[in-house]
Amino acid sequence: GYSSYNSWVGTISPRLGNPFGLGAPLKATVTYGGNIHDYEATLRIPKWLLPLGGAQADLTGGYLNQITPAFGPLTTESITLGTTWITVHQRVGASPASTWSLGLHYDYRLRTRNLDALRAIGTDLDETQVAVSTQTGSIGATLDIDHRIDRNGNLSPLAAENGYHLFANVAYAMPDRVPLIGGQDSFIKVSTSASYFHLFGGKSGNLVVRADFHYDEGFPLGGAALLPDVERFFAGGDNTVRGYEDDRLATEVIRVPVPPIGGSLTQIRVIPAGGNIRVMSSLDAQYRIWSVFAAALFTDAGMIANDWRLVTADDIRPSAGMGLRALTPFGIVALEYAVPINPHLGDDPRGRYHFYFAARATF
């Protein structure tokens, strides 16, 4: 596939049903693309080995190398141990109408990025950057309620026309009080999202209206004012707030003297700036015009901040746009054009194109 964020990308995912003779299936996923290299393996722990009252337990290890707008090359080495209880609510004589899942998880992340360095005279003077790593260990819980259905009432998360989706997550990182979880920094992060779909005209209708809301906030502990830079929230781009460049909903302006002139002559760099708080919303009207093809009008809005007391109206960044989509059972292929309504320095007021496959379905 292809998206304007990740460039071209391909994924292969082989699965072994019982490689160790213990009833523990193993699944490997390799994703390779222009801006992303992702290698992941998941081992499902058999229920007889870890009885948890019908829950499923998974152990996942991964290595991700991605080109990001905020940090450039960013590598993430990860281990996750998670347990999930899933309940399926069925309609009489029909397909499942909704699923409820409650999960508990432990996550360990080692993220490494390069920072500009000023070095003293020595053998490594010509090295302009130095690798900096951040370790994070956290325990948390998730709640997921999925009632995204098609016009016939069947579960259809990737091509929903009716229903809703609710998600909540809390993660607790406090290595100074719980040393076993590892990590360097102490904080709490909470996330919630809600999506609502409505099909006008019943089963023969062509107009689907979708509303999304997403809220994230991190609470630094131990006297810190900000989350670690790799844990902050970013927005802007294909699947957050369209019309803005990737991760540039909030930016930082850096002014550097122009050598060798210096003095009052400076050059400006505008770089992505994350924050402790992220709020995003979207309203989307999609009308099927012929066969699998549809036209859409939408408006997005978002905000990145570090403190609610410092938020002003200028921090809210709305946009508006339109697009053409192909609606398949596997998701949406879309070409859209959006314009920022409140452009700042570094934003293109003419807007930008967005192209993706099913990116909005993974909100």
Side-chain angles (χ1 to χ4, degrees):
Y2 180 87
S3 75
S4 53
Y5 185 87
N6 282 324
S7 183
W8 62 273
V9 64
T11 297
I12 184 171
S13 185
R15 182 180 183 274
L16 301 176
N18 190 16
F20 310 109
L22 301 174
L26 176 66
K27 179 182 178 181
T29 302
V30 177
T31 299
Y32 194 90
N35 293 334
I36 182 173
H37 302 160
D38 190 6
Y39 311 96
E40 185 177 280
T42 299
L43 177 69
R44 176 149 295 175
I45 302 173
K47 294 182 179 180
W48 65 266
L49 185 60
L50 192 64
L52 294 169
Q56 66 183 38
D58 298 307
L59 177 63
T60 301
Y63 175 83
L64 171 65
N65 186 347
Q66 187 173 18
I67 306 298
T68 65
F71 304 107
L74 176 67
T75 62
T76 302
E77 301 166 61
S78 62
I79 298 175
T80 297
L81 177 61
T83 302
T84 307
W85 289 263
I86 300 176
T87 301
V88 178
H89 296 268
Q90 293 181 313
R91 297 181 296 126
V92 177
S95 301
S98 63
T99 61
W100 293 54
S101 65
L102 174 65
L104 302 176
H105 53 86
Y106 163 77
D107 297 287
Y108 174 81
R109 301 284 184 269
L110 176 62
R111 294 184 172 96
T112 303
R113 73 283 188 203
N114 293 325
L115 295 181
D116 294 335
L118 295 177
R119 296 183 179 273
I121 296 176
T123 57
D124 56 357
L125 181 61
D126 57 341
E127 296 182 14
T128 60
Q129 292 189 322
V130 59
V132 176
S133 297
T134 300
Q135 298 182 51
T136 301
S138 65
I139 54 177
T142 60
L143 174 65
D144 191 295
I145 303 173
D146 195 349
H147 184 62
R148 292 174 289 186
I149 58 178
D150 61 18
R151 61 186 62 203
N152 296 315
N154 303 314
L155 278 178
S156 182
L158 293 181
E161 296 178 298
N162 266 319
Y164 57 86
H165 179 225
L166 304 174
F167 176 82
N169 177 72
V170 59
Y172 177 74
M174 187 171 284
D176 53 341
R177 296 190 180 182
V178 190
L180 290 178
I181 68 175
Q184 301 169 236
D185 302 279
S186 299
F187 56 85
I188 297 173
K189 294 175 77 172
V190 296
S191 299
T192 60
S193 66
S195 299
Y196 176 77
F197 303 81
H198 184 77
L199 172 64
F200 288 87
K203 292 185 178 182
S204 60
N206 291 315
L207 177 62
V208 176
V209 173
R210 170 179 177 164
D212 290 318
F213 176 79
H214 196 104
Y215 159 74
D216 303 284
E217 185 164 0
F219 302 90
L221 304 175
L226 299 173
L227 292 171
D229 54 0
V230 293
E231 296 290 341
R232 296 171 195 165
F233 301 106
F234 295 84
D238 293 349
N239 61 343
T240 53
V241 181
R242 291 161 287 187
Y244 297 91
E245 296 297 324
D246 298 324
D247 289 355
R248 292 177 181 266
L249 198 67
T251 56
E252 178 183 358
V253 178
I254 298 178
R255 302 179 185 273
V256 181
V258 177
I261 302 174
S264 60
L265 185 60
T266 61
Q267 60 183 354
I268 295 176
R269 292 176 56 201
V270 181
I271 62 175
N276 294 343
I277 304 167
R278 177 174 65 181
V279 181
M280 301 181 296
S281 64
S282 178
L283 184 62
D284 185 292
Q286 173 181 283
Y287 187 83
R288 190 185 296 263
I289 52 179
W290 178 73
S291 184
V292 299
F293 297 100
L297 297 174
F298 58 85
T299 178
D300 297 342
M303 180 203 70
I304 300 289
N306 288 314
D307 191 322
W308 284 107
R309 295 169 296 182
L310 303 178
V311 174
T312 66
D314 193 52
D315 294 320
I316 301 173
R317 313 293 300 282
S319 66
M322 62 182 64
L324 292 175
R325 300 170 181 171
L327 312 177
T328 75
F330 311 103
I332 300 172
V333 181
L335 176 63
E336 299 172 340
Y337 187 80
V339 176
I341 297 177
N342 181 23
H344 287 187
L345 180 65
D347 296 325
D348 188 344
R350 298 169 298 180
R352 59 166 293 184
Y353 286 97
H354 297 272
F355 175 75
Y356 53 80
F357 173 74
R360 294 294 293 182
T362 60
F363 184 84

